[in-house]
Amino acid sequence: MIINGSVSQDVAIADRGFNFGDGHFTTIKIAAGQALLLDLHLARLQQACAVLAIEFTEWDELVAAITQQALALQGGVLKVTITRGEGGRGYSPLGCSSANWFLQHRSIPAQYSEWASVGIELMLCQYQQTVNPVLAGLKTLNRLDQVMIKQELDANGMADGLVCSTDGYVIETSVANVFWAIGDKIYTPSTKRSGIEGVMKTHILNLLNKLGLTLKTGDYTITDVLGADEVFITNSVMEVVPVNRILKQGTQDDIHVVRYDLAVNDPSVWRLLQQELHA
């Protein structure tokens, strides 16, 4: 692990990221020695610092370290974390030390490449994600919603699930943004009250514009999703993965099924996006 530019495994117990989740992160896919979508990841980190009022000034050092690590590692995932640092009085950040930054390398989950070609099944989760308009869209260090969701998925033997908010709107999956197509219209949930505004989601918007397709963002219920011609999920590491089935929680009962012909190059939106990503 790299901490503030030096190789170390020692994280200060007084760091506010450890004590209060006072920080944020992004996960960058590394391929052929390059940090993919680096500009978008940096924009995410900068926005989160601004919203959380974390004074971080070492952007040049951070970018240099990311670039060097990508070149040295050649592949995998680089998790970039920024915390407010150490100190303060209780919850108050007054008197806090300078911000800390961390780089951690991980392997790309082996199942991601299989999912991209054959699709994934999602379970409709019973757990409902919290609503917080101030922090919505940010990838903060408080991931307890995702921990609770993963516990539910593990208990039901599912890899991922579709999650709604406490006010009844579809938000995302445990690890990805969700999209669906009805005719020539593409839809994705708003993240203004809950959820994460993914880096790949932003990139997908640019690709859809390039393809001449329209993306509609808003507040949608599970009924809206179940009327889709196709459903797919995205994040910066898995990229674009088609959804084959959506199941009821705790059962094998289908509530939505999409049959893609994986043997032919059909014009599904998810397939067009995969082709654009690897062009």
Side-chain angles (χ1 to χ4, degrees):
M1 181 164 61
I2 307 294
I3 303 178
N4 296 330
S6 300
V7 177
S8 177
Q9 295 296 322
D10 299 323
V11 179
I13 198 169
D15 190 285
R16 292 176 63 89
F18 171 78
N19 282 281
F20 306 124
D22 192 357
H24 56 94
F25 69 102
T26 195
T27 48
I28 304 175
K29 185 173 184 177
I30 306 299
Q34 300 293 314
L36 305 184
L37 304 179
L38 180 56
D39 288 347
L40 293 179
H41 284 286
L42 290 172
R44 158 189 269 180
L45 294 171
Q46 290 165 350
Q47 180 195 17
C49 279
V51 173
L52 299 176
I54 293 177
E55 296 183 6
F56 185 76
T57 59
E58 299 182 39
W59 295 108
D60 290 344
E61 293 85 350
L62 177 61
V63 171
I66 292 171
T67 304
Q68 291 168 4
Q69 285 292 296
L71 187 59
L73 296 167
Q74 287 295 302
V77 181
L78 202 60
K79 181 178 180 181
V80 184
T81 303
I82 297 176
T83 71
R84 197 179 303 274
E86 303 171 34
R89 183 180 176 88
Y91 292 129
S92 173
L94 293 177
C96 189
S97 68
S98 58
N100 291 324
W101 58 273
F102 308 81
L103 301 183
Q104 301 173 70
H105 178 252
R106 299 173 177 176
S107 299
I108 295 175
Q111 66 270 27
Y112 279 9
S113 60
E114 179 182 1
W115 290 353
S117 61
V118 303
I120 187 175
E121 296 180 350
L122 300 180
M123 181 184 79
L124 180 58
C125 294
Q126 289 186 346
Y127 183 87
Q128 294 179 314
Q129 195 155 297
T130 52
V131 174
N132 186 335
V134 175
L135 299 180
L138 305 183
K139 202 167 187 178
T140 70
L141 294 181
N142 188 334
R143 297 288 92 203
L144 284 178
D145 272 335
Q146 285 65 43
V147 171
M148 296 297 290
I149 293 163
K150 276 296 188 183
Q151 285 181 334
E152 183 181 347
L153 292 170
D154 290 344
N156 287 275
M158 296 295 295
D160 202 1
L162 196 59
V163 183
C164 295
S165 63
T166 53
D167 51 4
Y169 296 111
V170 174
I171 300 299
E172 57 196 8
T173 79
S174 68
V175 295
N177 290 120
V178 60
F179 297 78
W180 60 95
I182 301 176
D184 60 352
K185 300 292 191 302
I186 318 301
Y187 300 84
T188 193
S190 168
T191 56
K192 291 184 177 180
R193 293 195 307 277
S194 183
I196 293 174
E197 190 70 8
V199 163
M200 182 55 67
K201 179 182 176 181
T202 301
H203 189 50
I204 291 297
L205 173 58
N206 296 331
L207 293 179
L208 289 173
N209 287 335
K210 179 181 177 181
L211 291 168
L213 297 170
T214 301
L215 177 66
K216 294 181 175 293
T217 301
D219 296 328
Y220 304 110
T221 67
I222 187 63
T223 301
D224 295 310
V225 181
L226 299 185
D229 299 319
E230 61 175 292
V231 183
F232 57 94
I233 61 176
T234 71
N235 71 27
S236 60
V237 180
M238 72 168 61
E239 297 182 339
V240 177
V241 168
V243 174
N244 297 325
R245 301 169 71 201
I246 301 175
L247 308 175
K248 291 181 181 179
Q249 194 268 0
T251 74
Q252 287 299 304
D253 295 335
D254 296 328
I255 57 176
H256 186 64
V257 180
V258 182
R259 302 295 184 191
Y260 305 111
D261 188 349
L262 298 171
V264 300
N265 189 19
D266 66 38
S268 298
V269 175
W270 65 266
R271 195 187 301 276
L272 295 174
L273 290 170
Q274 284 186 351
Q275 291 169 351
E276 286 293 322
L277 286 168
H278 299 106

